[in-house]
Amino acid sequence: MNPYQLLPPVHEVLASSEAQELIDIWKVPEKLFKDWLQEEVDYERELIAEKKTSNDSLTRPQLTSQILERLTRRCRDFSPYNLRHVVNATGTVLHTNLGRARLSERAAAQVVKSATHYSNLEYDLESGRRGSRHSIIQDLLAKASGAEAAMVVNNNAAAVYFILRAFAEGAEVIVSRGELVEIGGSFRVSTIMEESGAKLVEVGTTNKTHPSDYEEALSDKTAMVMKVHTSNFKTVGFTEEVPVKELKEIVSSSSLEEAPIVYEDLGSGSLYPFKNKGIGDEPLVKQALKDGADLISFSGDKLLGGPQAGVIAGRKTLIDKLKKHPLARVLRVDKMTLAALEATLFDYVYRENELNDNPTVRDILKSREQIRETAQYTFNELQGSLRSVSLSVEEETSKVGGGTMPLEELPTCGIALTKEGMSANACERFFRKGDIPVICRVTEDRLFIDFRTLDEEDLLVVKNKILALDNVNGEG
């Protein structure tokens, strides 16, 4: 028999009661189900062409049944969108792979309102004429940062590029060798500078840069002295760096006809004094400007706890020039980013006592005792009802993440899980599957669920996932 005759016609399978039942149960659009079905039939056709199939003894109904089995698995894992809600049970607060900062409920609500209604994005309600989207949050940005003026672009890498392109194209920018960091995703500060048209002048060494290094490098060709906060790594031991305050004094006291701009890329950009709580040593945004920086830039979706954005703040004359630059339109943010950032900043400026509503601030500040209480309660709820899954409440450490405070260990607590007949890696894969994936970590051949980054809604998902795992046989 010709093996190709075993292949079932797509239209016949699609019309079958089995296929229609799958579509109805799992709410899969029929057009998408048909695409999957065609892929499965094409796969079987390729196997026949490559003589890799052992289906010679099968009948068409049997092969159809196998295809429908595979389609059933696809239906079970179906999600209409690639960007999905996941539960972060890793304990890493600003997990770059999982979207970094979560928005507060107020910020999220403001995004929804702005996205589902018309808005005054570029409309001046006072005059009834065209307005500027820069005006939406410029006052809040200035108040939150302590700057004369501020603006926002689509991320901090864009902010760095924009500032260098606008003020130092074709001119020299002095940077310490110890601050030429590589940002996540293999983007290097030196590469961004090169792309901007600025000429990099390296001073000092990897571990030590002295005031005299900057003084000797200053010339009539110097447009900017740049300081980069090395958020994603630390040089320890025999080190020395020159703070912004001293850089400003060096530039101001030079004999140059026009003083170069002093610019600090703060990276994570903290508005909350975490170091006052004994967590890290991130510089405060306001302090950088008080120390004399003409311009600063920082991320919106790291320690700020807002949406992806790059905030630029500093002297009004410089910000005004940036707003008029052609790149301002290229790098501008959309209404949803502005809505989220405005709501986030409003809390910093006017609701300081309610900053625990900001998930980033809240989760970083959680004590081990607070986390243990929730983990223990969950353990007590589940332990008596499990047959093949063993749980224990364990102490561990978490990371801030997002290239922020790389040496900081946050004392945490969570549940360590083992399952009879399943490896820890198999359990981890199980937790990653399903309607809402739960992302955990494997430690010492156990699955560890870190409760630092779980809220009440997440806890329900985690508990259901543990109960489902308990009902799985073997490797699942």
Side-chain angles (χ1 to χ4, degrees):
M1 179 183 179
N2 184 344
Y4 289 102
Q5 291 178 343
L6 288 172
L7 297 175
V10 169
H11 71 278
E12 285 185 13
V13 179
L14 188 62
S16 69
S17 60
E18 295 91 341
Q20 288 302 313
E21 187 177 356
L22 285 175
I23 291 169
D24 291 341
I25 290 173
W26 299 103
K27 310 300 180 190
V28 177
E30 187 168 315
K31 188 175 181 181
L32 177 60
F33 188 90
K34 182 180 178 182
D35 288 345
W36 290 349
L37 175 56
Q38 185 67 63
E39 288 171 11
E40 295 294 345
V41 172
D42 289 345
Y43 171 72
E44 292 293 342
R45 183 177 287 108
E46 287 174 16
L47 290 180
I48 293 170
E50 296 171 8
K51 298 185 175 163
K52 292 181 180 177
T53 182
S54 57
N55 289 339
D56 300 347
S57 60
L58 291 180
T59 63
R60 179 186 281 181
Q62 288 172 325
L63 182 57
T64 301
S65 179
Q66 286 187 3
I67 290 173
L68 283 168
E69 258 184 59
R70 298 201 296 267
L71 287 170
T72 300
R73 289 196 290 271
R74 292 178 81 157
C75 286
R76 284 175 183 157
D77 292 334
F78 167 66
S79 174
Y81 309 114
N82 287 326
L83 188 61
R84 296 171 61 186
H85 165 204
V86 305
V87 171
N88 176 11
T90 68
T92 301
V93 180
L94 299 173
H95 201 305
T96 298
N97 296 346
L98 303 182
R100 287 190 183 159
R102 289 186 287 176
L103 295 179
S104 69
E105 289 186 9
R106 279 191 286 267
Q110 184 65 2
V111 171
V112 171
K113 187 177 287 188
S114 299
T116 56
H117 296 79
Y118 290 107
S119 66
N120 60 324
L121 179 66
E122 292 187 357
Y123 182 79
D124 187 331
L125 292 170
E126 192 66 33
S127 67
R129 296 176 181 172
R130 184 184 177 93
S132 168
R133 68 179 63 200
H134 292 305
S135 66
I136 299 291
I137 60 170
Q138 62 183 359
D139 290 342
L140 269 178
L141 281 173
K143 285 179 180 177
S145 64
E148 289 181 8
M151 66 180 295
V152 59
V153 292
N154 56 4
N155 61 31
N156 192 49
V160 174
Y161 175 84
F162 189 17
I163 290 169
L164 291 170
R165 184 64 179 264
F167 297 113
E169 185 180 11
E172 293 180 355
V173 177
I174 302 173
V175 188
S176 167
R177 284 187 175 88
E179 296 171 4
L180 290 174
V181 298
E182 180 174 300
I183 304 167
S186 301
F187 289 101
R188 297 176 176 176
V189 168
S190 56
T191 304
I192 292 173
M193 293 182 74
E194 183 181 340
E195 289 294 325
S196 73
K199 297 177 181 177
L200 172 63
V201 177
E202 300 178 31
V203 297
T205 62
T206 303
N207 62 317
K208 279 202 156 196
T209 304
H210 305 282
S212 58
D213 293 320
Y214 290 97
E215 291 168 350
E216 291 167 9
L218 284 171
S219 74
D220 292 334
K221 297 177 183 178
T222 306
M224 184 180 294
V225 176
M226 181 179 178
K227 185 167 183 63
V228 181
H229 180 59
T230 55
S231 300
N232 57 355
F233 85 101
K234 291 291 180 187
T235 305
V236 296
F238 194 56
T239 65
E240 186 175 336
E241 63 175 298
V242 183
V244 163
K245 192 171 186 178
E246 199 165 346
L247 286 179
K248 186 65 176 178
E249 290 170 359
I250 291 169
V251 166
S252 300
S253 61
S254 71
S255 58
L256 296 176
E257 187 174 329
E258 186 173 348
I261 293 169
V262 175
Y263 161 47
E264 181 167 17
D265 170 21
L266 290 169
S268 299
S270 181
L271 292 179
Y272 186 90
F274 290 105
K275 59 184 176 181
N276 291 355
K277 303 288 186 179
I279 302 173
D281 59 353
E282 285 292 312
L284 285 173
V285 167
K286 285 186 176 181
Q287 192 59 50
L289 291 167
K290 283 181 182 177
D291 287 345
D294 299 304
L295 282 175
I296 60 169
S297 68
F298 55 92
S299 294
D301 60 342
K302 290 188 178 180
L303 290 177
L304 185 67
Q308 177 181 298
V311 178
I312 305 172
R315 280 169 36 202
K316 188 176 184 303
T317 53
L318 299 177
I319 298 297
D320 287 346
K321 183 174 179 180
L322 289 173
K323 287 178 180 178
K324 294 174 184 175
H325 195 283
L327 277 178
R329 184 173 180 84
V330 176
L331 303 175
R332 72 183 186 178
V333 296
D334 72 338
K335 61 187 177 184
M336 288 175 282
T337 301
L338 285 170
L341 189 56
E342 181 179 26
T344 302
L345 290 168
F346 190 91
D347 284 355
Y348 275 100
V349 174
Y350 298 113
R351 292 192 179 112
E352 291 179 84
N353 295 329
E354 300 175 47
L355 277 179
N356 266 351
D357 292 341
N358 182 310
T360 297
V361 176
R362 179 195 67 209
D363 289 350
I364 292 175
L365 294 181
K366 279 181 185 173
S367 69
R368 176 177 276 166
E369 289 68 31
Q370 289 174 295
I371 301 168
R372 187 204 311 277
E373 187 177 336
T374 308
Q376 188 66 52
Y377 182 82
T378 304
F379 171 85
N380 294 342
E381 272 192 310
L382 291 172
Q383 183 63 10
S385 60
L386 300 174
R387 302 182 309 277
S388 62
V389 170
S390 297
L391 307 177
S392 60
V393 177
E394 304 283 349
E395 293 185 351
E396 259 285 357
T397 57
S398 306
K399 290 286 188 182
V400 175
T404 300
M405 306 184 203
L407 300 181
E408 196 65 24
E409 300 274 327
L410 302 175
T412 193
C413 194
I415 286 179
L417 176 154
T418 57
K419 157 82 174 176
E420 289 177 16
M422 283 183 74
S423 66
N425 287 330
C427 291
E428 187 272 335
R429 285 194 298 273
F430 179 86
F431 269 63
R432 272 192 284 118
K433 301 298 181 181
D435 184 33
I436 303 177
V438 178
I439 314 302
C440 308
R441 45 187 166 124
V442 174
T443 58
E444 299 177 357
D445 204 31
R446 297 180 301 174
L447 188 72
F448 185 73
I449 303 165
D450 194 322
F451 276 52
R452 176 176 294 279
T453 43
L454 301 182
D455 58 25
E456 287 186 19
E457 183 184 341
D458 296 332
L459 283 172
L460 181 60
V461 176
V462 168
K463 284 188 277 192
N464 287 337
K465 192 72 79 169
I466 293 173
L467 292 170
L469 178 65
D470 192 48
N471 292 319
V472 169
N473 294 321
E475 291 286 315

